[in-house]
Amino acid sequence: MGNFYLTVNLHAKYPPGWFSMHAVDGFKKKLLSEAKSMAQDPFPPVALEVVLDDERQEIEKVREMRGTSGKTGKPRDAAVPPVAPIAGKADAAEPAWQRDNVNWVNAVSKAHAANLTGLAFSVGGIRSATFNLGVLQALAELKLLHRIDYLSTVSGGGYIGGWLAAWTKRLESFGEVQKRLATNRVHQIDDKEPPPIRFLRVLATT
C-alpha cells in the first residue's frame, strides 16, 4: 500500500516521461563514470622483474620461518640465455631489453644467487600420487623436503600436491609433516603408517 501511495504521488508531481528521460540520463552518466574509472586502472600492469623480485623476497620470508634462510649452498652461475628467434635475425641472441634493463638483470641475478629449488610432479592419476608419495618420503628421510621453494603439479601430481598442502595446513607445521613422512616412522611389521599416508594408499588401490 505504501509503494502504491508513493508511486501515485510521484506521478502527480512530475510530468509524463520525466522518469524515462532521467533514467536514461542517469544510465549514461553511470556508463561514462565506469569508462573513466576503467581508464584510470587501479591495477596497472606490473613489470615481470618486479614480480620476480617480490616473489623471491616472499620465499626468503618463508625460508626464515622454516629455518633454512641463508642455507642455500653454493650459488649457481647464471644460466646461458637461449637463442631467441626474431624475425629477420636467425642468429639473434637474447632480446636487447633483457641485456639493457638493469632491474631485470638485477632480479635474475638475485634469483640465481638465492639458489631456488623446485619440485615438479607430473601426470598419472592416483598412481602418480602414490609414486610421488615415495619421492616425498625419500626427501623427508634425507631432511631435504623443507628446502623445496617451489612445488609444481599437474593432473595426478596435483593429488599429492593438494594432499601435502592440506596436511601441512592441518598440522600448522611443515617440519612436523616432514617428520611424519619420514619412512623411519613406519612400523613395517605392523604395517602402521600415519593416517593421512594410509588413507592415500587405500584410495590408490580402488
Side-chain angles (χ1 to χ4, degrees), residues 9-19 22:
N9 276 274
L10 284 173
H11 277 282
K13 183 175 180 181
Y14 298 103
W18 187 91
F19 290 102
H22 284 266

Side-chain angles (χ1 to χ4, degrees), residues 28-206:
K28 286 182 179 178
K29 287 181 180 178
K30 184 178 180 182
L31 285 178
L32 288 173
S33 176
E34 289 180 358
K36 186 176 180 181
S37 65
M38 288 174 68
Q40 300 172 349
D41 191 352
F43 304 105
V46 180
L48 180 58
E49 59 268 21
V50 175
V51 176
L52 291 177
D53 203 52
D54 284 352
E55 188 174 81
R56 180 190 57 79
Q57 292 179 48
E58 286 297 320
I59 289 174
E60 287 295 340
K61 293 177 183 177
V62 173
R63 282 178 168 181
E64 287 180 8
M65 289 191 295
R66 67 187 186 211
T68 57
S69 181
K71 302 175 183 178
T72 58
K74 182 181 178 181
R76 283 176 288 214
D77 295 329
V80 178
V83 176
I86 300 177
K89 297 182 179 180
D91 60 343
E94 59 182 329
W97 67 268
Q98 290 188 2
R99 301 190 307 269
D100 303 336
N101 186 332
V102 177
N103 292 332
W104 171 263
V105 173
N106 287 340
V108 173
S109 176
K110 289 177 181 178
H112 280 293
N115 207 16
L116 303 170
T117 305
L119 179 63
F121 290 145
S122 62
V123 302
I126 194 65
R127 284 182 288 275
S128 167
T130 50
F131 175 84
N132 291 327
L133 172 60
V135 174
L136 290 175
Q137 288 184 303
L139 290 170
E141 184 73 20
L142 295 170
K143 295 182 173 59
L144 293 175
L145 188 58
H146 70 293
R147 292 186 178 274
I148 301 298
D149 297 306
Y150 292 96
L151 179 61
S152 176
T153 68
V154 62
S155 190
Y159 292 144
I160 194 69
W163 173 86
L164 180 64
W167 198 11
T168 302
K169 183 173 179 60
R170 291 183 185 119
L171 291 182
E172 298 182 347
S173 169
F174 192 73
E176 185 60 30
V177 170
Q178 180 173 258
K179 284 182 185 178
R180 298 191 187 191
L181 271 170
T183 54
N184 59 14
R185 292 179 58 88
V186 179
H187 301 277
Q188 299 291 351
I189 298 177
D190 299 330
D191 194 28
K192 292 180 180 178
E193 291 182 300
I197 298 177
R198 173 53 53 188
F199 180 76
L200 186 63
R201 290 198 195 283
V202 169
L203 284 183
T205 61
T206 59

